[in-house]
Amino acid sequence: GAVVSQHPSWVICKSGTSVKIECRSLDFQATTMFWYRQFPKQSLMLMATSNEGSKATYEQGVEKDKFLINHASLTLSTLTVTSAHPEDSSFYICSASWGETQYFGPGTRLLVL
Amino acid sequence: QKEVEQDPGPLSVPEGAIVSLNCTYSNSAFQYFMWYRQYSRKGPELLMYTYSSGNKEDGRFTAQVDKSSKYISLFIRDSQPSDSATYLCAMSEEGQNFVFGPGTRLSVLP
């Protein structure tokens, strides 16, 4: 199957700093990537849909100025959590469309102190 | 009514049991159906992918789709402790914009 990577896998930062998470499709080109957030023992929450070369589409309730998404190439999408606060601590997972399926990255655990 | 419903569990079974995981949905236009397995603190891993109705088998896993009842199932035969995870169903009309179920937590006890 297709491989999606995420970097970093773990990040701890101070409140007020910005954190960038990268999502890469390693062996295929993904015109569409998705960003999810997941709290412990809860289901995936779609944050935004990212299409290469265009602005991301954010789900209702997700602040686009706080969660900046850039999909500059067919293999890379980035999520930047700006001015992170402790309530932003969560597990962030990206996925990429390939054909009629979706492949997930391993996730990035963010802890904001 | 949520678009995709799934019993959250937890579902506990003894090792070797046959496990049945299910999802119901409301959108009759869904045609693409997937099952993912997610271990704790990991990203979801694609297990099975089916299109339209019917069965698909892969090793110990069988996926069933009943579009007339808007019901899909994942069966796990000879369940192992390593199968303990959260299982997510996902579905889509056109193979894009998948809608996910909330996941069922499965625990296989040795």
Side-chain angles (χ1 to χ4, degrees):
Chain A
V3 179
V4 176
S5 71
Q6 267 182 257
H7 178 80
S9 55
W10 246 112
V11 58
I12 302 173
C13 68
K14 291 182 179 179
S15 185
T17 60
S18 294
V19 175
K20 180 187 280 189
I21 303 169
E22 292 186 348
C23 177
R24 292 181 186 273
S25 54
L26 296 185
D27 49 0
F28 66 102
Q29 293 183 327
T31 54
T32 305
M33 289 184 170
F34 304 87
W35 286 97
Y36 295 84
R37 185 173 178 174
Q38 188 176 37
F39 292 105
K41 297 186 180 180
Q42 294 191 22
S43 65
L44 299 168
M45 289 173 45
L46 179 64
M47 298 175 67
T49 302
S50 166
N51 290 297
E52 186 265 338
S54 63
K55 289 184 179 180
T57 302
Y58 289 81
E59 295 299 301
Q60 192 172 11
V62 178
E63 299 175 57
K64 61 181 182 181
D65 294 330
K66 177 155 185 75
F67 299 99
L68 300 178
I69 292 173
N70 184 279
H71 193 160
S73 79
L74 288 171
T75 60
L76 174 64
S77 176
T78 61
L79 168 68
T80 301
V81 183
T82 61
S83 186
H85 289 284
E87 58 264 31
D88 298 323
S89 299
S90 189
F91 191 48
Y92 292 87
I93 312 174
C94 72
S95 70
S97 281
W98 188 54
E100 291 105 12
T101 56
Q102 211 172 314
Y103 289 88
F104 284 85
T108 297
R109 189 159 301 280
L110 170 64
L111 177 60
V112 184
L113 302 176
Chain B
Q1 182 189 8
K2 292 183 180 177
E3 207 166 7
V4 178
E5 305 218 33
Q6 196 175 359
D7 187 333
L11 174 63
S12 293
V13 300
E15 184 175 355
I18 296 174
V19 177
S20 172
L21 303 165
N22 312 295
C23 285
T24 57
Y25 61 94
S26 56
N27 184 351
S28 58
F30 285 145
Q31 298 189 86
Y32 298 88
F33 304 92
M34 299 194 293
W35 284 97
Y36 289 88
R37 176 175 62 195
Q38 185 178 22
Y39 291 113
S40 180
R41 302 188 179 190
K42 301 288 185 183
E45 168 196 8
L46 181 64
L47 273 182
M48 301 283 286
Y49 160 58
T50 53
Y51 171 73
S52 195
S53 283
N55 293 359
K56 186 173 184 178
E57 188 173 321
D58 183 2
R60 296 185 295 112
F61 299 90
T62 299
Q64 260 184 14
V65 175
D66 182 349
K67 290 187 70 180
S68 62
S69 301
K70 297 179 195 166
Y71 187 90
I72 69 170
S73 300
L74 177 70
F75 297 97
I76 306 174
R77 290 183 299 281
D78 188 25
S79 56
Q80 303 294 311
S82 58
D83 295 327
S84 299
T86 296
Y87 289 81
L88 302 155
C89 63
M91 45 199 81
S92 162
E93 293 182 21
E94 299 173 355
Q96 298 284 326
N97 301 317
F98 279 87
V99 179
F100 285 82
T104 298
R105 285 172 52 210
L106 171 67
S107 180
V108 181
L109 307 173

